[in-house]
Amino acid sequence: MRVKYFHHGLWPSASPSTTFVTWNCLGFAEIGADFELVTVRNSARDVASVLAEEFGITEPLRVRLLAAGMFRRSHRIVHVRAFLHLLFARWDTLVTRNLGFLPWACLLRLLRGGTVVFESHDFFSDPNRSDLPAGRTARKQAGRERRWIPRVDGVICVSEPQRAYYRECYPGQVFLTALTGVKRPRTPVPRHAAAPLVGYIGTFDASRYDLDLMVRAIGLVAVPGVRLIMAGARDETEAGAMQARARALGVGDRVEVLAWQAPIALEELKARLAVGLAPLALTARNQIGSPLKVLEYLSAGIPVVGSDLAGIRALVDEGPCGLIAQDTPESWADAIGRILSQPALAESLSTHGIARADSLSWAGRARRILAFLADRRTARADAR
């Protein structure tokens, strides 16, 4: 089965989605699948150079880069370029994680045959959930979901709560839960012997992450010398604003803010961390997620402190490989302090984290998805 996976994001870029689709592509390559990632060129370098320099990947991956020049951020232009490429390319199954491309994908299915599968990393369909994203864009996405999800051949979800949400709205559709994958785990290091450095890796989007809660908590941790390093600022302005916020909360001397880190630089940073933080806001949107940052920590054997959300519990409860904190700075400070001051606990969480990461490989995820795609292809053929 020949699989094309279209993502309209820029490649490479600072977006977590770019990291996701690249490691997803590696997972399929590792199992020998006929799989190609189709995405948008954002560098003059060739694919092999970007893989090696940005991701530390030396294996050859099939990545087709669409050239859109100065229009590479225009979804309409990129979708036309992708449509034309896919119209004449050879494929049996088309997967996309972009709602806006589903009309084009379904038209391709009409013209070319094959199957179309949507991979969702969000949920907009149910207007009765008050804590879902609101506003004009969210309403537009909800309309797209209601129109196109019933028309595709299957949907891949990244968590069981997300799958449950969708099944309530679309009982006639077929869904697969495939948790986000983890990079090859390395041997755990004795984290308790390192400096008490606590880390946060991710965007500074206050609607999705309770950054103030995390920064306030670091000021309450009693362990001498503890510091927080935050990596993910989009630019100097955002980094400066976050650093100013830390000073306003009285912990400027304990907080260091860094720009977004390329995957290779991120590996060096993770090697320094004693604890990794995942302070997701307690919203319905985050309830359905499978946070990439938690998987980054697990892949390095870093004990996790995370918010009390189903997606995080699903990742860290087995073992366990992390602690769940309640929605107060005191609870977060207590969890961080326990890991930093109890070497045996830190080592146990690290060891279990490596084991958990090993069970969530990208290759294992690819095998599950490939079986699902084959099933959906058979079902469509039988329905004709």
Side-chain angles (χ1 to χ4, degrees):
M1 178 171 52
R2 294 164 296 198
V3 181
K4 293 273 192 176
Y5 185 109
F6 171 65
H7 173 55
H8 70 203
L10 304 182
W11 197 89
S13 77
S15 170
S17 65
T18 300
T19 301
F20 176 92
V21 298
T22 304
W23 287 100
N24 185 58
C25 184
L26 177 63
F28 280 90
E30 288 177 337
I31 65 172
D34 188 344
F35 180 96
E36 183 176 63
L37 169 63
V38 180
T39 186
V40 185
R41 179 180 291 279
N42 195 37
S43 171
R45 294 170 291 173
D46 59 33
V47 168
S49 297
V50 172
L51 288 171
E53 295 165 10
E54 300 284 344
F55 299 95
I57 296 175
T58 56
E59 296 90 334
L61 300 186
R62 292 179 58 197
V63 181
R64 175 64 62 99
L65 298 177
L66 303 174
M70 63 184 292
F71 300 105
R72 62 187 180 275
R73 296 184 184 276
S74 166
H75 290 178
R76 182 171 299 177
I77 297 297
V78 169
H79 289 175
V80 170
R81 293 282 292 111
F83 175 83
L84 292 174
H85 165 68
L86 292 166
L87 182 62
F88 298 103
R90 299 178 63 198
W91 53 270
D92 304 302
T93 296
L94 172 61
V95 182
T96 182
R97 57 173 285 171
N98 303 123
L99 272 171
F101 190 68
L102 288 182
W104 299 90
C106 289
L107 178 58
L108 283 165
R109 183 181 58 189
L110 178 66
L111 297 173
R112 288 282 317 274
T115 54
V116 170
V117 171
F118 175 51
E119 180 176 86
S120 177
H121 290 241
D122 225 316
F123 177 81
F124 298 95
S125 294
D126 190 349
N128 296 319
R129 295 186 183 275
S130 60
D131 53 355
L132 284 174
R136 182 173 178 272
T137 298
R139 290 193 296 271
K140 182 178 181 180
Q141 295 291 71
R144 285 172 169 170
E145 285 193 345
R146 289 191 287 269
R147 180 175 177 82
W148 295 105
I149 285 182
R151 303 186 184 192
V152 299
D153 297 296
V155 178
I156 301 167
C157 300
V158 294
S159 75
E160 274 299 311
Q162 180 194 27
R163 181 171 176 262
Y165 280 11
Y166 272 125
R167 289 187 69 181
E168 288 180 12
C169 294
Y170 309 101
Q173 185 54 276
V174 180
F175 300 91
L176 169 74
T177 297
L179 297 178
T180 304
V182 179
K183 290 178 284 187
R184 299 183 191 92
R186 59 181 176 78
T187 303
V189 298
R191 296 282 168 186
H192 57 275
L197 185 63
V198 178
Y200 168 80
I201 297 168
T203 68
F204 292 178
D205 182 352
S207 69
R208 300 201 67 175
Y209 304 101
D210 197 338
L211 303 180
D212 263 17
L213 176 72
M214 176 178 63
V215 173
R216 291 177 189 276
I218 208 69
L220 301 176
V221 177
V223 177
V226 65
R227 293 174 54 245
L228 169 65
I229 190 164
M230 301 174 63
R234 290 174 299 179
D235 49 40
E236 291 184 5
T237 299
E238 189 172 63
M242 193 68 245
Q243 196 72 62
R245 182 59 181 160
R247 288 194 297 269
L249 294 173
V251 292
D253 59 333
R254 287 191 172 193
V255 176
E256 179 183 359
V257 181
L258 302 178
W260 174 85
Q261 305 288 294
I264 288 182
L266 202 58
E267 293 302 313
E268 298 177 2
L269 172 61
K270 288 190 295 184
R272 299 166 52 201
L273 300 182
V275 181
L277 305 183
L280 279 73
L282 302 182
T283 66
R285 185 181 189 186
N286 284 338
Q287 191 76 19
I288 66 174
S290 182
L292 194 59
K293 60 175 53 55
V294 173
L295 300 165
E296 289 279 3
Y297 303 143
L298 296 181
S299 72
I302 302 170
V304 179
V305 176
S307 302
D308 193 359
L309 292 165
I312 294 179
R313 283 193 176 276
L315 295 174
V316 306
D317 272 0
E318 293 188 23
C321 41
L323 302 179
I324 299 297
Q326 300 308 307
D327 198 29
T328 67
E330 291 78 11
S331 179
W332 279 78
D334 177 69
I336 295 168
R338 284 178 59 197
I339 295 173
L340 293 178
S341 61
Q342 299 180 33
L345 172 62
E347 187 170 359
S348 173
L349 295 175
S350 177
T351 301
H352 285 118
I354 289 290
R356 182 67 174 130
D358 195 39
S359 72
L360 292 171
S361 69
W362 285 105
R365 182 180 196 270
R367 287 189 189 94
R368 293 197 67 218
I369 292 175
L370 203 61
F372 178 72
L373 299 181
D375 174 76
R376 302 319 304 148
R377 179 169 166 75
T378 299
R380 183 166 183 82
D382 291 345
R384 287 174 182 155

